[in-house]
Amino acid sequence: KEREKAISEARKILGEDIEAIDSYCTEERTPLGYLAFSINKLSEADIAYFGKGWQGYRGCRIEHECAAEYGIGIIC
């Protein structure tokens, strides 16, 4: 439900339809492995959406920094 809300909000902000990248990992990984998976998915994106409270999560902060440093658009 939260994901659907985020996609809807991103569509509204951008004023166009978007293709959401499925970044949910179903494999068992270490915390760093999950982050690596997420950054790999981020590399396929034009824009990254960060939901409310993202600053409170180490992985989200790292993903945000990656998006900023590599020119991927950011919606917060």
Side-chain angles (χ1 to χ4, degrees):
K1 186 174 181 177
E2 189 173 324
R3 176 180 162 83
E4 290 173 15
K5 182 181 173 187
I7 292 169
S8 177
E9 188 173 327
R11 283 185 177 125
K12 189 182 300 182
I13 290 169
L14 296 171
E16 61 186 68
D17 198 18
I18 62 169
E19 178 185 344
I21 296 172
D22 188 9
S23 61
Y24 185 76
C25 181
T26 58
E27 299 173 15
E28 181 96 12
R29 296 175 184 247
T30 64
L32 189 56
Y34 286 117
L35 179 59
F37 179 86
S38 294
I39 291 173
N40 183 49
K41 291 295 184 177
L42 179 62
S43 74
E44 301 171 9
D46 297 319
I47 298 172
Y49 178 95
F50 293 87
K52 183 178 179 181
W54 67 268
Q55 302 94 331
Y57 297 93
R58 178 178 50 193
C60 291
R61 291 191 307 269
I62 292 168
E63 290 173 4
H64 187 276
E65 182 70 18
C66 289
E69 289 292 325
Y70 286 90
I72 295 169
I74 297 171
I75 298 174
C76 293

Coordinates of all heavy atoms in Angstrom, one line a residue:
K1 N 0.8 -1.2 0.0 CA 0.0 0.0 0.0 C 0.9 1.3 0.0 O 0.6 2.2 -0.7 CB -0.9 0.0 1.2 CG -1.9 1.1 1.2 CD -2.9 0.9 2.4 CE -3.9 2.1 2.3 NZ -4.9 1.9 3.4
E2 N 1.9 1.2 0.8 CA 2.9 2.4 0.9 C 3.6 2.6 -0.5 O 3.7 3.7 -0.9 CB 3.9 2.1 2.0 CG 4.8 3.3 2.3 CD 5.7 3.1 3.5 OE1 5.3 2.4 4.4 OE2 6.8 3.6 3.4
R3 N 3.9 1.5 -1.1 CA 4.6 1.6 -2.4 C 3.6 2.2 -3.5 O 4.0 3.1 -4.2 CB 5.1 0.2 -2.9 CG 5.7 0.2 -4.3 CD 6.1 -1.2 -4.6 NE 6.3 -1.5 -6.0 CZ 7.4 -1.2 -6.7 NH1 8.4 -0.6 -6.0 NH2 7.5 -1.4 -8.0
E4 N 2.4 1.8 -3.5 CA 1.4 2.3 -4.4 C 1.2 3.8 -4.2 O 1.1 4.6 -5.1 CB 0.1 1.6 -4.3 CG 0.1 0.2 -4.8 CD -1.2 -0.6 -4.5 OE1 -2.2 0.0 -4.1 OE2 -1.1 -1.8 -4.6
K5 N 1.2 4.2 -2.9 CA 1.0 5.7 -2.6 C 2.2 6.5 -3.1 O 2.1 7.5 -3.6 CB 0.9 5.8 -1.1 CG 0.7 7.2 -0.6 CD 0.6 7.3 0.9 CE 0.6 8.8 1.3 NZ 0.7 8.9 2.8
A6 N 3.4 5.9 -2.9 CA 4.6 6.6 -3.4 C 4.6 6.7 -4.9 O 5.0 7.8 -5.5 CB 5.9 5.8 -3.0
I7 N 4.2 5.7 -5.6 CA 4.2 5.7 -7.1 C 3.1 6.8 -7.5 O 3.4 7.6 -8.4 CB 3.8 4.4 -7.7 CG1 5.0 3.4 -7.5 CG2 3.5 4.4 -9.2 CD1 4.7 1.9 -7.7
S8 N 2.0 6.8 -6.9 CA 1.0 7.8 -7.2 C 1.5 9.2 -7.0 O 1.2 10.1 -7.8 CB -0.3 7.5 -6.4 OG -1.3 8.5 -6.6
E9 N 2.1 9.4 -5.9 CA 2.7 10.8 -5.6 C 3.7 11.2 -6.6 O 3.7 12.3 -7.0 CB 3.3 10.8 -4.1 CG 3.7 12.1 -3.7 CD 4.1 12.2 -2.2 OE1 3.5 11.4 -1.4 OE2 5.0 12.9 -1.9
A10 N 4.6 10.3 -7.0 CA 5.6 10.6 -7.9 C 5.0 10.9 -9.3 O 5.4 11.9 -9.9 CB 6.6 9.4 -8.1
R11 N 3.9 10.2 -9.7 CA 3.2 10.5 -10.9 C 2.7 11.9 -10.9 O 2.7 12.7 -11.8 CB 2.1 9.5 -11.2 CG 2.6 8.2 -11.7 CD 1.4 7.3 -12.1 NE 1.9 6.1 -12.6 CZ 1.7 4.9 -12.2 NH1 0.9 4.7 -11.1 NH2 2.2 3.8 -12.7
K12 N 2.1 12.3 -9.7 CA 1.5 13.6 -9.5 C 2.5 14.7 -9.6 O 2.4 15.7 -10.3 CB 0.7 13.7 -8.2 CG -0.1 14.9 -8.0 CD -0.8 15.0 -6.6 CE -1.7 13.8 -6.4 NZ -2.4 13.8 -5.1
I13 N 3.7 14.5 -8.9 CA 4.7 15.5 -8.9 C 5.3 15.7 -10.3 O 5.6 16.8 -10.8 CB 5.8 15.1 -7.9 CG1 5.3 15.2 -6.5 CG2 7.1 15.9 -8.1 CD1 6.2 14.6 -5.5
L14 N 5.5 14.6 -11.1 CA 6.1 14.6 -12.4 C 5.1 15.0 -13.5 O 5.5 15.4 -14.6 CB 6.8 13.3 -12.7 CG 8.0 12.9 -11.8 CD1 8.4 11.5 -12.1 CD2 9.1 13.9 -12.0
G15 N 3.9 14.8 -13.2 CA 2.8 15.1 -14.2 C 2.8 14.2 -15.4 O 2.4 14.5 -16.5
E16 N 3.3 13.0 -15.2 CA 3.3 12.0 -16.2 C 3.4 10.6 -15.7 O 3.6 10.4 -14.5 CB 4.6 12.2 -17.1 CG 5.9 12.0 -16.4 CD 7.1 12.4 -17.3 OE1 7.2 13.6 -17.6 OE2 7.9 11.5 -17.6
D17 N 3.1 9.6 -16.5 CA 3.2 8.2 -16.1 C 4.6 7.8 -15.8 O 5.5 8.4 -16.5 CB 2.5 7.3 -17.1 CG 2.2 5.9 -16.5 OD1 2.1 5.8 -15.3 OD2 2.0 5.0 -17.3
I18 N 4.8 6.9 -15.0 CA 6.2 6.4 -14.7 C 6.2 4.9 -14.7 O 5.2 4.3 -14.5 CB 6.7 7.0 -13.3 CG1 5.8 6.4 -12.2 CG2 6.8 8.5 -13.2 CD1 6.3 6.7 -10.8
E19 N 7.4 4.4 -14.9 CA 7.7 3.0 -14.8 C 8.4 2.8 -13.5 O 9.6 3.2 -13.3 CB 8.5 2.5 -15.9 CG 8.8 1.0 -15.8 CD 9.7 0.5 -17.0 OE1 9.9 1.2 -18.0 OE2 10.3 -0.6 -16.8
A20 N 7.8 2.1 -12.5 CA 8.5 1.8 -11.2 C 9.4 0.6 -11.4 O 9.0 -0.4 -12.0 CB 7.4 1.5 -10.2
I21 N 10.5 0.7 -10.8 CA 11.5 -0.4 -10.8 C 11.3 -1.2 -9.6 O 11.2 -0.7 -8.5 CB 13.0 0.1 -10.8 CG1 13.2 0.9 -12.1 CG2 13.9 -1.0 -10.6 CD1 14.6 1.6 -12.1
D22 N 11.1 -2.5 -9.7 CA 10.9 -3.4 -8.6 C 12.2 -3.6 -7.9 O 13.0 -4.4 -8.3 CB 10.3 -4.7 -9.0 CG 9.8 -5.6 -7.9 OD1 9.9 -5.1 -6.7 OD2 9.5 -6.8 -8.1
S23 N 12.3 -3.0 -6.7 CA 13.6 -3.0 -6.0 C 13.5 -3.9 -4.8 O 14.4 -3.9 -3.9 CB 14.1 -1.6 -5.6 OG 13.1 -1.0 -4.8
Y24 N 12.5 -4.6 -4.6 CA 12.3 -5.5 -3.5 C 13.1 -6.8 -3.7 O 13.0 -7.5 -4.7 CB 10.9 -5.9 -3.2 CG 10.6 -6.7 -2.0 CD1 10.7 -6.1 -0.7 CD2 10.4 -8.0 -2.1 CE1 10.5 -6.8 0.4 CE2 10.2 -8.8 -0.9 CZ 10.3 -8.2 0.3 OH 10.1 -8.9 1.5
C25 N 14.0 -7.1 -2.8 CA 14.9 -8.3 -2.9 C 14.3 -9.4 -2.1 O 14.0 -9.2 -0.9 CB 16.3 -7.9 -2.4 SG 17.4 -9.3 -2.5
T26 N 14.1 -10.6 -2.7 CA 13.5 -11.7 -2.0 C 14.6 -12.7 -1.5 O 14.3 -13.6 -0.8 CB 12.5 -12.5 -2.9 OG1 13.2 -12.9 -4.1 CG2 11.4 -11.6 -3.2
E27 N 15.8 -12.5 -2.0 CA 16.9 -13.4 -1.6 C 17.5 -13.0 -0.2 O 17.5 -11.9 0.2 CB 18.1 -13.3 -2.6 CG 17.7 -13.7 -4.0 CD 18.9 -13.4 -5.0 OE1 20.0 -13.2 -4.5 OE2 18.6 -13.4 -6.2
E28 N 18.0 -14.0 0.5 CA 18.6 -13.8 1.8 C 20.0 -13.1 1.6 O 20.8 -13.7 0.8 CB 18.7 -15.1 2.6 CG 19.4 -15.0 3.9 CD 18.3 -14.9 5.0 OE1 17.1 -15.1 4.8 OE2 18.7 -14.5 6.2
R29 N 20.2 -12.0 2.2 CA 21.5 -11.3 2.0 C 21.9 -10.6 3.3 O 21.1 -10.5 4.2 CB 21.4 -10.2 1.0 CG 21.1 -10.7 -0.4 CD 20.8 -9.5 -1.4 NE 20.4 -10.0 -2.7 CZ 21.2 -9.8 -3.8 NH1 22.3 -9.2 -3.7 NH2 20.8 -10.3 -4.9
T30 N 23.1 -10.2 3.4 CA 23.6 -9.4 4.5 C 23.1 -8.0 4.3 O 22.7 -7.7 3.2 CB 25.1 -9.4 4.5 OG1 25.6 -8.7 3.4 CG2 25.8 -10.8 4.6
P31 N 23.1 -7.2 5.3 CA 22.7 -5.8 5.2 C 23.4 -5.1 4.0 O 22.8 -4.4 3.2 CB 23.0 -5.1 6.5 CG 22.8 -6.3 7.5 CD 23.4 -7.5 6.8
L32 N 24.7 -5.3 3.9 CA 25.5 -4.7 2.8 C 25.1 -5.3 1.5 O 25.0 -4.6 0.5 CB 27.0 -4.9 3.0 CG 27.9 -4.1 2.1 CD1 27.6 -2.6 2.1 CD2 29.3 -4.4 2.5
G33 N 24.7 -6.6 1.4 CA 24.2 -7.2 0.2 C 22.9 -6.6 -0.3 O 22.7 -6.4 -1.5
Y34 N 22.0 -6.3 0.7 CA 20.7 -5.7 0.3 C 21.0 -4.3 -0.2 O 20.4 -3.8 -1.2 CB 19.8 -5.5 1.5 CG 19.2 -6.8 1.9 CD1 19.4 -7.4 3.2 CD2 18.3 -7.5 1.1 CE1 18.8 -8.6 3.5 CE2 17.7 -8.7 1.4 CZ 17.9 -9.2 2.7 OH 17.3 -10.4 3.0
L35 N 22.0 -3.5 0.4 CA 22.3 -2.2 -0.1 C 22.9 -2.3 -1.5 O 22.5 -1.5 -2.4 CB 23.3 -1.5 0.8 CG 23.7 -0.1 0.4 CD1 22.5 0.8 0.3 CD2 24.7 0.4 1.4
A36 N 23.7 -3.3 -1.8 CA 24.3 -3.4 -3.1 C 23.2 -3.7 -4.1 O 23.3 -3.2 -5.2 CB 25.3 -4.6 -3.1
F37 N 22.3 -4.5 -3.7 CA 21.1 -4.8 -4.6 C 20.4 -3.5 -5.0 O 20.1 -3.3 -6.1 CB 20.2 -5.9 -4.0 CG 19.0 -6.2 -4.8 CD1 19.1 -7.2 -5.8 CD2 17.8 -5.6 -4.6 CE1 18.0 -7.5 -6.5 CE2 16.7 -5.9 -5.3 CZ 16.8 -6.8 -6.3
S38 N 20.1 -2.8 -3.9 CA 19.4 -1.5 -4.1 C 20.1 -0.5 -5.0 O 19.5 0.2 -5.8 CB 19.1 -0.9 -2.7 OG 18.2 -1.7 -2.0
I39 N 21.4 -0.4 -4.8 CA 22.2 0.5 -5.6 C 22.3 0.1 -7.0 O 22.2 0.9 -7.9 CB 23.6 0.7 -5.0 CG1 23.5 1.5 -3.6 CG2 24.5 1.5 -6.0 CD1 24.8 1.6 -2.9
N40 N 22.3 -1.2 -7.2 CA 22.3 -1.8 -8.6 C 20.9 -1.4 -9.3 O 20.9 -0.9 -10.4 CB 22.4 -3.3 -8.6 CG 22.5 -3.8 -10.0 OD1 23.2 -3.4 -10.9 ND2 21.7 -4.9 -10.2
K41 N 19.8 -1.5 -8.6 CA 18.5 -1.1 -9.1 C 18.5 0.4 -9.3 O 17.9 0.9 -10.3 CB 17.4 -1.5 -8.2 CG 17.2 -3.0 -8.2 CD 16.7 -3.5 -9.5 CE 16.4 -4.9 -9.5 NZ 15.9 -5.4 -10.8
L42 N 19.1 1.2 -8.4 CA 19.1 2.7 -8.5 C 19.9 3.1 -9.8 O 19.5 4.0 -10.4 CB 19.8 3.2 -7.3 CG 20.0 4.8 -7.2 CD1 18.7 5.5 -7.2 CD2 20.8 5.1 -6.0
S43 N 20.9 2.3 -10.2 CA 21.6 2.6 -11.4 C 20.8 2.6 -12.7 O 21.1 3.1 -13.7 CB 22.8 1.7 -11.5 OG 22.4 0.4 -11.9
E44 N 19.6 1.9 -12.6 CA 18.7 1.8 -13.7 C 17.7 2.9 -13.8 O 16.9 3.1 -14.7 CB 17.9 0.5 -13.7 CG 18.8 -0.7 -13.7 CD 18.1 -2.0 -13.4 OE1 16.8 -2.0 -13.4 OE2 18.7 -3.1 -13.2
A45 N 17.7 3.8 -12.7 CA 16.6 4.8 -12.6 C 17.0 6.2 -13.1 O 18.2 6.5 -13.1 CB 16.3 4.9 -11.1
D46 N 16.0 6.9 -13.5 CA 16.2 8.3 -13.9 C 15.9 9.2 -12.6 O 16.5 10.3 -12.5 CB 15.2 8.7 -15.0 CG 15.4 7.9 -16.3 OD1 16.6 7.7 -16.6 OD2 14.5 7.5 -16.9
I47 N 15.0 8.7 -11.8 CA 14.6 9.5 -10.6 C 14.4 8.5 -9.5 O 13.8 7.4 -9.7 CB 13.2 10.2 -10.9 CG1 13.4 11.3 -12.0 CG2 12.7 10.9 -9.6 CD1 12.1 11.9 -12.4
A48 N 14.8 8.9 -8.3 CA 14.6 8.1 -7.1 C 13.6 8.7 -6.1 O 13.8 9.9 -5.9 CB 16.0 7.8 -6.4
Y49 N 12.7 8.0 -5.6 CA 11.7 8.5 -4.7 C 12.1 8.1 -3.3 O 12.3 6.9 -3.0 CB 10.3 8.0 -5.0 CG 9.3 8.4 -4.1 CD1 8.5 9.6 -4.4 CD2 9.0 7.8 -2.9 CE1 7.5 10.0 -3.5 CE2 8.0 8.2 -2.0 CZ 7.3 9.3 -2.3 OH 6.3 9.7 -1.5
F50 N 12.2 9.0 -2.3 CA 12.5 8.7 -0.9 C 11.3 9.1 -0.1 O 11.0 10.3 -0.1 CB 13.8 9.4 -0.5 CG 15.0 8.9 -1.2 CD1 15.4 9.5 -2.4 CD2 15.8 7.9 -0.7 CE1 16.6 9.0 -3.1 CE2 16.9 7.5 -1.3 CZ 17.3 8.0 -2.5
G51 N 10.7 8.1 0.5 CA 9.5 8.4 1.4 C 9.9 9.1 2.7 O 11.0 9.2 3.1
K52 N 8.8 9.5 3.3 CA 9.0 10.2 4.6 C 9.8 9.4 5.6 O 9.6 8.2 5.7 CB 7.6 10.4 5.2 CG 7.6 11.2 6.5 CD 6.1 11.5 6.9 CE 6.2 12.2 8.3 NZ 4.8 12.4 8.8
G53 N 10.7 10.0 6.2 CA 11.5 9.3 7.2 C 12.8 8.6 6.7 O 13.5 8.0 7.5
W54 N 13.1 8.8 5.4 CA 14.2 8.1 4.8 C 15.5 8.4 5.5 O 16.4 7.6 5.6 CB 14.3 8.4 3.3 CG 14.6 9.8 3.0 CD1 13.8 10.8 2.7 CD2 15.9 10.4 2.9 NE1 14.4 12.0 2.5 CE2 15.8 11.7 2.6 CE3 17.2 9.9 3.0 CZ2 16.8 12.6 2.4 CZ3 18.3 10.7 2.8 CH2 18.1 12.1 2.5
Q55 N 15.6 9.7 6.1 CA 16.9 10.1 6.7 C 17.2 9.3 7.9 O 18.4 9.2 8.3 CB 16.8 11.6 7.1 CG 16.4 12.5 6.0 CD 14.9 12.8 5.9 OE1 14.1 12.0 6.2 NE2 14.6 14.0 5.4
G56 N 16.3 8.6 8.4 CA 16.5 7.7 9.6 C 17.1 6.4 9.3 O 17.3 5.6 10.3
Y57 N 17.4 6.1 8.1 CA 17.9 4.8 7.7 C 19.2 4.9 6.9 O 19.3 5.6 5.9 CB 16.8 4.0 6.8 CG 15.5 3.8 7.5 CD1 14.5 4.7 7.5 CD2 15.4 2.7 8.3 CE1 13.3 4.5 8.2 CE2 14.2 2.4 9.1 CZ 13.2 3.4 9.0 OH 12.0 3.2 9.7
R58 N 20.2 4.2 7.5 CA 21.5 4.3 6.9 C 21.6 4.0 5.4 O 22.2 4.7 4.6 CB 22.4 3.3 7.7 CG 23.8 3.2 7.2 CD 24.7 2.2 8.0 NE 23.9 1.0 8.2 CZ 24.3 0.0 9.1 NH1 25.3 0.2 9.9 NH2 23.6 -1.1 9.2
G59 N 20.9 2.9 5.0 CA 20.9 2.5 3.6 C 20.2 3.6 2.7 O 20.7 3.9 1.6
C60 N 19.2 4.2 3.2 CA 18.5 5.2 2.4 C 19.4 6.4 2.3 O 19.4 7.1 1.2 CB 17.2 5.6 3.1 SG 15.9 4.3 3.0
R61 N 20.1 6.8 3.3 CA 21.0 7.9 3.3 C 22.1 7.7 2.2 O 22.5 8.5 1.5 CB 21.6 8.2 4.6 CG 20.6 8.8 5.6 CD 21.3 9.3 6.9 NE 22.2 8.4 7.5 CZ 21.8 7.5 8.5 NH1 20.6 7.5 8.9 NH2 22.7 6.7 9.1
I62 N 22.6 6.4 2.2 CA 23.7 6.1 1.2 C 23.1 6.1 -0.2 O 23.7 6.7 -1.1 CB 24.3 4.7 1.5 CG1 25.1 4.8 2.9 CG2 25.2 4.2 0.4 CD1 25.5 3.4 3.4
E63 N 21.9 5.6 -0.4 CA 21.2 5.6 -1.7 C 21.0 7.0 -2.1 O 21.2 7.4 -3.3 CB 19.9 4.8 -1.7 CG 20.1 3.3 -1.5 CD 18.8 2.6 -1.3 OE1 17.7 3.3 -1.4 OE2 18.8 1.4 -1.1
H64 N 20.6 7.9 -1.2 CA 20.3 9.3 -1.6 C 21.6 9.9 -2.0 O 21.6 10.7 -3.0 CB 19.7 10.0 -0.3 CG 19.3 11.4 -0.6 ND1 20.1 12.5 -0.6 CD2 18.1 11.9 -0.9 CE1 19.5 13.6 -0.8 NE2 18.2 13.2 -1.0
E65 N 22.7 9.7 -1.3 CA 24.0 10.3 -1.7 C 24.4 9.8 -3.0 O 24.9 10.5 -3.9 CB 25.0 9.9 -0.6 CG 26.4 10.4 -0.9 CD 26.5 12.0 -0.7 OE1 25.6 12.5 0.0 OE2 27.5 12.5 -1.2
C66 N 24.2 8.5 -3.3 CA 24.6 7.9 -4.6 C 23.8 8.6 -5.7 O 24.3 9.0 -6.8 CB 24.3 6.4 -4.7 SG 25.5 5.4 -3.7
A67 N 22.5 8.8 -5.5 CA 21.6 9.4 -6.5 C 22.1 10.8 -6.8 O 22.2 11.3 -7.9 CB 20.1 9.4 -6.0
A68 N 22.4 11.6 -5.7 CA 22.8 12.9 -5.8 C 24.2 13.0 -6.6 O 24.4 13.8 -7.5 CB 23.0 13.6 -4.5
E69 N 25.1 12.2 -6.2 CA 26.4 12.2 -6.8 C 26.5 11.7 -8.3 O 27.3 12.2 -9.0 CB 27.4 11.3 -6.0 CG 27.8 11.9 -4.6 CD 28.6 13.2 -4.7 OE1 29.5 13.3 -5.6 OE2 28.4 14.1 -3.9
Y70 N 25.5 10.9 -8.6 CA 25.5 10.3 -10.0 C 24.4 10.9 -10.9 O 24.1 10.4 -11.9 CB 25.5 8.8 -10.0 CG 26.8 8.2 -9.5 CD1 27.1 8.0 -8.2 CD2 27.8 8.0 -10.5 CE1 28.3 7.5 -7.8 CE2 29.0 7.5 -10.1 CZ 29.3 7.3 -8.8 OH 30.5 6.8 -8.4
G71 N 23.8 12.0 -10.4 CA 22.9 12.8 -11.3 C 21.5 12.1 -11.5 O 20.9 12.4 -12.5
I72 N 21.1 11.3 -10.6 CA 19.8 10.7 -10.6 C 18.8 11.7 -9.9 O 19.1 12.1 -8.8 CB 19.8 9.3 -10.0 CG1 20.7 8.4 -10.8 CG2 18.4 8.7 -9.9 CD1 21.0 7.0 -10.1
G73 N 17.7 12.0 -10.6 CA 16.8 12.9 -10.0 C 16.3 12.4 -8.6 O 16.2 11.2 -8.4
I74 N 15.9 13.3 -7.7 CA 15.5 12.9 -6.4 C 14.2 13.5 -6.1 O 14.0 14.7 -6.3 CB 16.5 13.3 -5.3 CG1 17.9 12.5 -5.6 CG2 16.0 13.0 -3.9 CD1 19.0 13.0 -4.7
I75 N 13.2 12.7 -5.6 CA 12.0 13.2 -5.0 C 12.0 12.8 -3.6 O 12.1 11.6 -3.2 CB 10.8 12.6 -5.7 CG1 10.7 13.0 -7.2 CG2 9.5 13.1 -5.1 CD1 9.6 12.3 -8.0
C76 N 11.8 13.8 -2.7 CA 11.7 13.5 -1.2 C 10.4 14.0 -0.7 O 9.9 15.0 -1.1 CB 12.8 14.2 -0.5 SG 14.4 13.5 -0.8

